[in-house]
Amino acid sequence: MEDIKVAMLQLLPAGTAEGNLKKGLESCRKAREMGADIALFPEMWNCGYEIPEDPDRLRALAVPADGEFVDAYKKLAKELDMAIGITFLEAYEPMPRNTICLIDRHGEVVYTYAKVHTCDFGDESRLTPGDDFYVADLDTSKGTIKVGSMICYDREFPESARILMLKGAELLLVPNACPMEINRISQLRGRAYENMQGIVTVNYPEGQPDCNGHSTAFDGVAYLEEEGEWTGRDTLLTETGEEEGIYMADIPMEQIRDYRSREVHGNAYRHPSKYKLLISEEVREPFIREDSRR
């Protein structure tokens, strides 16, 4: 399989819902001209990651997963023969969700994922958390790949990428909206390493509140054989700067698949029967938080 080209749409919001839609569609067209197989947006693109305190205003910003906003990207994906990971504040009850729809090159939604690990210590306490992680076969012109998503804070829980690996994901598409620095980037490096997955994260650029660009792509291939010896390598494929732009990540799917077929990470040598505490609902000090939702 040829490398899968993922366009990282590190964009500034236009300031209005209509402007965001127009800019998003134009950016997808530019991404396709650059050779993209998949275009990925930062978190909650339709409203530029805005979460008002007023419930009525919050609901007014939300759009339905089967509404005109997503439909516009479905039509464009089919026209461009390119997959699109479109993000939005989703109209939902009792309150909106932080959502990504992955649309294939035929204009069909292959999964709709809502952020499981909402930031309940902040504005996202006003949103409804998602209830599961999803993996789907994504048909590309270069072949079929298994894709799943995390959203921003999901990255900080090893279980997110782990369950996606166990469900078969080879590539994770991760919308983001926060400052990306060495520790958060290291979390992504760790998730890619331990699950042998490609991970592409797209952040808002400098100029968006509390964001700084530094979108990244990792291939999860930690060791390569060179001249008969196995040597460690950085799994980072690309890291953008802070500036707005469309950046391309080439994901070496054939290399990832070969590596996964013989390396020791992922699900090769796990002992699930010894991990029963992981599904316990009990929380002890020092981790008790009054604002935590489970």
Side-chain angles (χ1 to χ4, degrees):
M1 176 182 281
E2 296 179 49
D3 290 359
I4 296 294
K5 296 183 178 294
V6 181
M8 301 184 290
L9 306 181
Q10 187 170 288
L11 306 174
L12 279 172
T16 65
E18 295 77 11
N20 289 343
L21 175 59
K22 180 180 178 181
K23 185 170 184 175
L25 296 173
E26 290 173 349
S27 297
C28 284
R29 292 186 181 280
K30 291 177 183 177
R32 189 67 180 113
E33 291 172 0
M34 296 167 65
D37 300 297
I38 305 170
L40 179 62
F41 283 86
E43 193 173 1
M44 276 172 35
W45 172 251
N46 79 298
C47 62
Y49 194 80
E50 184 179 353
I51 307 176
E53 290 188 24
D54 179 70
D56 292 335
R57 186 161 170 253
L58 176 60
R59 290 188 178 96
L61 287 176
V63 297
D66 59 354
E68 294 180 1
F69 179 80
V70 174
D71 280 350
Y73 287 95
K74 290 168 65 176
K75 292 174 183 176
L76 185 64
K78 184 175 182 179
E79 175 191 334
L80 298 179
D81 194 41
M82 178 185 74
I84 299 174
I86 182 60
T87 62
F88 53 102
L89 179 66
E90 179 191 0
Y92 199 81
E93 292 298 335
M95 293 297 287
R97 304 195 302 185
N98 182 340
T99 296
I100 176 173
C101 278
L102 180 61
I103 304 165
D104 69 16
R105 66 192 181 106
H106 309 293
E108 299 296 327
V109 173
V110 298
Y111 63 72
T112 299
Y113 168 69
K115 187 175 186 176
V116 166
H117 297 101
T118 49
C119 299
D120 295 341
F121 44 81
D123 292 342
E124 287 189 350
S125 65
R126 297 189 283 277
L127 304 182
T128 300
D131 54 14
D132 203 353
F133 294 93
Y134 306 103
V135 173
D137 290 334
L138 179 66
D139 173 56
T140 77
S141 62
K142 296 170 181 174
T144 300
I145 58 176
K146 291 186 177 296
V147 184
S149 281
M150 306 185 291
I151 297 178
C152 199
Y153 189 51
D154 284 327
R155 159 201 70 243
E156 306 209 13
F157 299 86
E159 295 86 351
S160 304
R162 178 60 41 123
I163 195 69
L164 288 163
M165 178 275 293
L166 292 173
K167 290 185 174 185
E170 306 170 291
L171 175 64
L172 303 188
L173 303 176
V174 186
N176 196 81
C178 71
M180 293 305 291
E181 37 72 46
I182 187 170
N183 298 296
R184 287 171 172 148
I185 292 173
S186 294
Q187 287 174 329
L188 292 163
R189 182 180 276 104
R191 301 294 88 85
Y193 168 80
E194 63 205 13
N195 295 298
M196 298 188 289
Q197 293 168 323
I199 300 181
V200 180
T201 302
V202 179
N203 196 26
Y204 287 100
E206 184 72 27
Q208 173 76 351
D210 209 31
C211 293
N212 67 338
H214 292 280
S215 301
T216 56
F218 294 89
D219 62 15
V221 179
Y223 305 103
L224 288 178
E225 186 177 12
E226 297 179 358
E227 298 180 357
E229 293 186 5
W230 291 98
T231 58
R233 60 182 287 274
D234 190 352
T235 61
L236 179 68
L237 295 172
T238 186
E239 178 180 345
T240 72
E242 298 181 347
E243 300 79 13
E244 181 177 32
I246 299 173
Y247 303 90
M248 201 67 66
D250 293 346
I251 310 300
M253 292 306 308
E254 196 66 35
Q255 186 181 46
I256 291 172
R257 287 174 173 175
D258 176 67
Y259 183 73
R260 296 180 112 213
S261 72
R262 54 181 169 74
E263 257 300 341
V264 301
H265 312 297
N267 199 24
Y269 298 100
R270 293 174 66 247
H271 293 263
S273 65
K274 299 181 176 71
Y275 309 151
K276 294 176 182 177
L277 187 60
L278 289 175
I279 61 172
S280 170
E281 294 287 342
E282 182 181 8
V283 182
R284 300 177 181 177
E285 292 288 2
F287 303 115
I288 295 175
R289 304 290 187 273
E290 294 299 325
D291 53 9
S292 176
R293 295 184 291 178
R294 290 181 178 269

